Amino acid sequence: MENMTAKRTEMTTGIQVHDMTKVAIFTALMCILAPMSVPIGPIPISLANLVMFLSLYVVGRKNSSISVLIYLLLGLVGLPVFSGYTGGPAKLLGPTGGYLMGYILIPLIGGLAVEKQPANYLLQLIAITFSEALCYALGTAWFVYLMKCTLAYAMSVCVFPFIGLDLCKIVAAMLVGTQIRRRLVRANLC
C-alpha cells in the first residue's frame, strides 16, 4: 500500500518522495543557516552558498535548483530566511537582491559539471567557481545600479572580501559532498 502511494505521488508530481525529502532538507538547511550571517559591510558573510555547493553533490542539479527556488520564494513571501533574519520583496529588490537571484546560477551551472563529469574534480571546481563568479557579477551589477556607486567601490565591499572564503566553501563542499554522495549511493538512497 505504501509503495502504491509513493508511485501515485510520483505520477502526479513527476518527482519521487525521496527527492521531495532531499529538496525539503536542503531548503530547510538554507533557511536555517543563511540568516545566521556575519555583517561585514553592505553584503554579509552567509552560509547559504555553502549549502548550495554541498547540495550539488548530495541531491543533484535538479533538486538543488528546486531547493534554491523554494528558498527564494519563502524569502519573497516574507519569511525571515535571508541574511540577518530578513525576508520580503524589499530584500530581493534591495542592494543584495542581485546576489540572492544569482543563487539560481549555482545549481544550474555548477551542478551541470558535477552531474556530467562526476570524476573530473578540476572541471567541477572550475564550473562551481564560475557559477559563483556569475553570481558575483549579477549581484555587483545590481548593487552598482541601486547604490549609484562605482564598480571599484562595489568590488571592494561586495566581492574581494568574499573570494577566499567562498573558494574554501567550494572545496569543503566538494570534499564532504563527494563522501556523502558515495555513502548514499552505497546505501541505495540515490
Side-chain angles (χ1 to χ4, degrees):
M1 186 65 160
E2 190 176 299
N3 194 20
M4 290 287 277
T5 305
K7 283 256 193 242
R8 202 170 312 125
T9 302
E10 181 183 349
M11 288 170 44
T12 58
T13 63
I15 187 170
Q16 293 183 355
V17 173
H18 71 275
D19 286 333
M20 284 190 245
T21 304
K22 291 175 190 176
V23 167
I25 288 170
F26 274 90
T27 303
L29 280 171
M30 271 189 284
C31 290
I32 292 166
L33 294 176
M36 294 188 266
S37 57
V38 179
I40 63 166
I43 308 296
I45 295 173
S46 172
L47 294 176
N49 56 356
L50 173 64
V51 175
M52 283 178 253
F53 301 146
L54 187 61
S55 72
L56 300 177
Y57 291 92
V58 179
V59 300
R61 180 172 61 134
K62 176 184 169 192
N63 290 335
S64 181
S65 297
I66 294 169
S67 181
V68 170
L69 288 172
I70 292 171
Y71 165 74
L72 292 173
L73 288 172
L74 290 172
L76 177 65
V77 299
L79 292 177
V81 297
F82 298 143
S83 63
Y85 297 94
T86 59
K91 185 70 172 183
L92 281 173
L93 298 173
T96 61
Y99 297 102
L100 291 168
M101 297 308 291
Y103 284 171
I104 296 167
L105 300 171
I106 293 170
L108 294 178
I109 296 167
L112 186 63
V114 172
E115 188 177 282
K116 300 293 184 190
Q117 297 290 324
N120 191 338
Y121 298 116
L122 179 59
L123 181 64
Q124 292 172 23
L125 176 65
I126 291 168
I128 296 170
T129 303
F130 179 70
S131 69
E132 184 70 355
L134 287 176
C135 181
Y136 283 165
L138 180 65
T140 303
W142 185 249
F143 185 86
V144 167
Y145 173 75
L146 281 185
M147 300 303 289
K148 311 253 186 281
C149 64
T150 66
L151 179 60
Y153 172 76
M155 295 288 287
S156 71
V157 298
C158 301
V159 176
F160 297 142
F162 301 93
I163 292 173
L165 183 58
D166 285 345
L167 286 172
C168 289
K169 290 177 193 177
I170 292 169
V171 170
M174 289 177 72
L175 294 171
V176 173
T178 54
Q179 293 302 312
I180 292 172
R181 181 77 177 177
R182 280 191 195 118
R183 285 178 172 82
L184 288 172
V185 168
R186 232 180 292 147
N188 224 11
L189 295 172
C190 282

